[in-house]
C-alpha cells in the first residue's frame, strides 16, 4: 500500500506548500490599484489586496502587518512582490518574508513616480519571480507536513448531520498522521463548552479555549445584542437551525474527536503540531485570511445552503451534505449528501473526502481556484485615526 | 442502505429528531427507544420534530446536549423551531453573564 502523502513544495523554513504561487502583496489599500495592474501584466500572480492599512492604531496595526507577513510566509507561496505607497510600510512586510526565507521584491509607488511607472517596474520583478518559481518541482511529502484549516458557512442542519462529521473524519486522519488542523469561529461554539473542555489537553488549554468562546459572547453583550438576532443567521434558520447552541454542536463536529492543544491568536502559527482553535471572528473571508496567515495550506469549508468563498492562498475544498445544494449549487467540490439521506456512512464519506483532499494537496484544483471565487480581508479591531 | 426520511441522533437522550425528507401530518415515524410517533404538522427538510412531550421550560435535546429550552409545551410530532424554542446563550437581551447557570465555562 502506498504511503500516505502528497506532492508538495518544501520551503526554506522547513514547511511544505501544496501550491507554488507568486503573490503581489499590497501593504495597504492605497497601493491596491498598482498591485492589480501588476497582476494584469503578469499572468498567474495571486493578488493580496487588503483594505485599510494606514494610520491603524495599536493592536489593529500589529494585526494588519502580522497577517500580511503570515500570508506572505505561507508555504504555498514561492515568493512575493510587496507593494506599498511608501518604502517603510513595504519594508515592514518584506522583512518578515525575508526572515521566513522567501524570495521577496519591494515596490513603492511614490519612489517609482506614479502608478503606471510602478506597475511596469513591478511587472518586471514579479515576472522574474514567476520564472524562478517555475523551475521548482514538488517532492513527495508525508502527511504530517499538512496544516488544514476548517470553516463552515451558509450552514443548515445538514452541516451538523453530514458535512461536518464527515470533515471530522478527515481532521482525525490528518492529526493521526502528525499534521496540524486549525478550527475557529468560536462564536459558533457558544453552548458547546462542556464538549470543548473534555477535549482540551490540559486545564490551561481548557481555560484558553473557554476564554476565547466567552470573549465572543461578551462582545455580543457589550453591544446589547441578543445573539439570536445575528446567529443563527436567516439562512441558517430557514435551513432548520434553531439556536446558537444547536449550531455549535453541528459546527464542532468538523473538529473531529482528538484532543485540542489550545488557542492560537488570529494569524499566528501554532507552536507545535496538533489540533488548535484559532481565535477569530466567524465570517469566511477574514477568517480564511487568518488561517492562511497561521500557516494553513488547505481549507475544507462546509456549507448547507451554499456559500462560494475560498482563500486565494490556501486551496479551499467546498463540501455539502445537502442533496439539493450538491447538485443545484455549482460551487461544490464534494457531495456528502448520501450521509444525510442514509445512503452512506460518515466513515465511508470520510474516506472518500480524505482521498479527495490528498488529490487537492497534490495539485488537483478546487472550484474556487478554477472560478476565482476568492477574496481577502483582515479582521479589524477598532477605528483608524 | 435505503434512503431514510428522518435522523434520530442519540436515541434515548435526544427529544427531537430531524427530517431529511419533508414529512406530512399523519406520517408515522419509528424511532429507537421511543417507538412510534405521528407527525402532527408539516416538517420541512432539515427541520426538527419532537419525539416526546417537551414541557415548557424543559431542555430541547439534540446531539445528546441541550440546544435550548421550550418556551411553551410541545407535543410529540410537533415542529420544533424558533417559534417554540429559545436558546439560553448569547442573550444580551436578558443581560446574563457569560458564565450562565449550569452551562459550564
Amino acid at each position: 500500500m502506498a504511503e500516505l502523502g502528497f506532492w508538495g513544495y518544501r520551503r526554506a523554513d522547513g514547511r511544505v506548500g501544496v501550491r507554488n504561487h507568486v503573490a503581489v502583496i499590497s501593504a495597504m489599500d492605497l497601493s491596491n490599484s498598482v498591485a492589480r495592474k501588476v497582476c494584469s501584466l503578469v499572468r498567474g500572480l495571486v493578488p493580496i489586496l487588503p483594505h485599510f492599512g494606514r494610520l491603524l492604531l495599536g493592536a489593529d496595526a500589529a494585526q494588519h502587518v502580522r497577517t500580511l507577513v503570515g500570508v506572505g510566509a505561507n508555504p504555498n507561496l514561492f515568493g512575493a512582490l510587496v507593494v506599498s505607497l511608501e518604502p517603510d510600510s513595504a519594508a515592514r512586510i518584506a522583512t518578515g518574508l525575508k526572515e521566513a526565507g522567501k524570495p521577496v521584491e519591494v515596490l513603492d509607488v511614490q519612489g517609482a513616480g506614479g502608478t503606471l511607472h510602478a506597475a511596469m517596474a513591478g511587472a518586471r520583478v514579479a515576472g522574474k519571480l514567476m520564472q524562478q518559481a517555475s523551475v521548482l518541482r514538488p517532492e513527495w511529502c508525508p502527511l504530517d507536513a499538512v496544516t488544514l484549516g476548517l470553516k463552515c458557512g451558509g450552514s443548515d442542519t445538514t452541516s451538523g448531520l453530514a458535512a461536518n462529521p464527515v470533515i471530522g473524519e478527515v481532521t482525525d486522519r490528518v492529526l493521526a498522521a502528525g499534521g496540524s488542523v486549525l478550527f475557529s469561529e468560536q462564536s459558533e461554539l457558544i453552548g458547546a463548552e462542556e464538549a470543548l473542555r473534555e477535549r482540551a489537553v490540559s486545564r490551561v488549554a481548557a481555560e484558553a479555549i473557554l476564554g476565547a468562546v466567552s470573549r465572543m459572547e461578551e462582545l455580543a453583550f457589550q453591544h446589547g445584542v441578543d445573539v439570536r438576532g445575528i446567529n443563527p443567521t436567516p439562512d441558517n434558520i430557514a435551513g432548520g437551525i434553531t439556536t446558537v447552541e444547536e449550531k455549535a454542536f453541528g459546527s464542532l463536529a468538523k473538529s473531529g474527536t482528538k484532543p485540542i492543544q489550545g488557542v492560537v491568536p488570529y494569524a499566528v502559527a501554532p507552536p507545535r503540531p496538533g489540533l488548535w482553535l484559532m481565535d477569530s471572528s466567524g465570517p469566511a473571508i477574514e477568517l480564511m485570511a487568518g488561517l492562511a496567515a497561521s500557516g494553513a495550506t488547505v481549507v475544507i469549508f462546509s456549507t448547507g445552503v451554499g456559500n462560494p468563498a475560498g482563500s486565494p492562498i490556501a486551496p479551499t475544498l467546498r463540501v455539502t451534505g445537502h442533496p439539493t445544494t450538491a447538485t443545484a449549487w455549482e460551487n461544490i467540490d464534494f457531495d456528502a449528501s448520501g450521509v444525510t439521506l442514509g445512503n452512506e456512512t460518515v466513515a465511508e464519506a470520510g474516506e472518500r473526502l480524505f482521498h479527495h483532499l490528498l488529490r487537492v494537496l497534490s495539485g488537483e484544483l478546487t472550484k474556487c481556484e478554477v472560478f476565482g471565487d476568492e477574496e481577502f480581508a483582515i479582521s479589524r479591531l477598532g477605528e483608524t485615526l | 442502505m435505503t434512503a431514510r426520511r428522518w435522523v434520530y441522533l442519540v436515541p434515548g437522550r435526544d427529544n427531537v429528531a430531524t427530517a431529511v425528507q419533508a414529512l406530512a401530518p399523519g406520517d408515522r415515524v419509528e424511532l429507537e427507544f421511543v417507538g412510534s410517533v405521528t407527525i402532527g404538522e408539516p416538517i420541512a427538510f432539515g427541520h426538527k420534530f419532537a419525539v416526546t412531550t417537551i414541557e415548557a421550560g424543559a431542555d430541547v435535546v439534540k446531539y445528546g446536549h441541550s440546544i435550548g429550552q421550550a418556551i411553551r409545551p410541545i407535543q410529540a410530532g410537533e415542529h420544533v423551531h424558533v417559534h417554540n424554542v429559545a436558546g439560553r446563550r448569547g442573550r444580551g437581551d436578558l443581560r446574563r453573564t457569560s458564565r450562565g447557570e449550569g452551562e459550564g465555562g
Side-chain angles (χ1 to χ4, degrees), chain B residues 63-84:
Chain B
Y63 303 108
H65 294 272
S66 170
I67 60 164
Q69 51 185 160
I71 56 181
R72 52 172 204 264
I74 305 174
Q75 303 307 313
E78 198 178 330
H79 184 210
V80 175
H81 202 29
V82 293
H83 59 288
N84 54 15

Side-chain angles (χ1 to χ4, degrees), chain B residues 19-49:
Chain B
V20 291
Q21 289 183 45
L23 299 174
D27 282 353
R28 282 262 299 256
V29 166
E30 298 299 329
L31 300 166
E32 200 185 332
F33 274 87
V34 172
S36 185
V37 173
T38 303
I39 299 299
E41 51 185 337
I43 312 290
F45 173 89
H47 286 239
K48 297 177 289 300
F49 57 93

Side-chain angles (χ1 to χ4, degrees), chain A residues 75-92:
Chain A
N76 286 351
L77 297 198
F78 165 80
L81 168 67
V82 178
V83 188
S84 193
L85 179 68
E86 42 70 34
D88 288 358
S89 49
R92 244 196 312 277

Side-chain angles (χ1 to χ4, degrees), chain A residues 21 34 71 101 110 113 123 138 148 188 210 250 257 281 288 331 335 347 368:
Chain A
H21 293 311
V34 169
V71 163
Q110 285 171 345
L148 167 64
E188 295 183 6
L210 296 183
T257 63
S281 304
M288 288 192 290
N331 309 97
D335 178 3
C368 291

Side-chain angles (χ1 to χ4, degrees), chain A residues 157 160 190 193 197 214 217-218 221 225-228 237-238 240 242-243 245-246 249 322 339-342, chain B residues 1-4 20 45-48 62-63 65 67 81-82 87-93 96 98-99 104-105:
Chain A
T157 32
I190 293 170
E193 283 87 345
R197 192 208 301 276
S214 147
E217 198 176 21
E218 283 300 326
F221 293 153
V225 155
D226 171 2
V227 81
R228 295 173 307 170
I237 290 169
T242 305
T243 63
E245 297 96 309
E246 180 180 7
F249 289 110
H322 195 304
V339 173
T340 301
L341 299 175
Chain B
M1 295 170 76
T2 54
R4 58 187 173 182
V20 291
F45 173 89
H47 286 239
K48 297 177 289 300
K62 181 182 172 184
Y63 303 108
H65 294 272
I67 60 164
H81 202 29
V82 293
R88 282 206 201 83
R89 302 301 305 278
R91 296 287 301 275
D93 60 314
R96 292 170 85 102
S98 62
R99 262 70 172 153

Side-chain angles (χ1 to χ4, degrees), chain A residues 82-124:
Chain A
V82 178
V83 188
S84 193
L85 179 68
E86 42 70 34
D88 288 358
S89 49
R92 244 196 312 277
I93 293 162
T95 302
L97 268 58
K98 281 179 195 141
E99 281 165 8
K102 290 281 186 212
V104 58
E105 300 285 346
V106 175
L107 178 66
D108 84 276
V109 181
Q110 285 171 345
T115 62
L116 299 182
H117 289 303
M120 281 176 44
R124 288 190 196 97

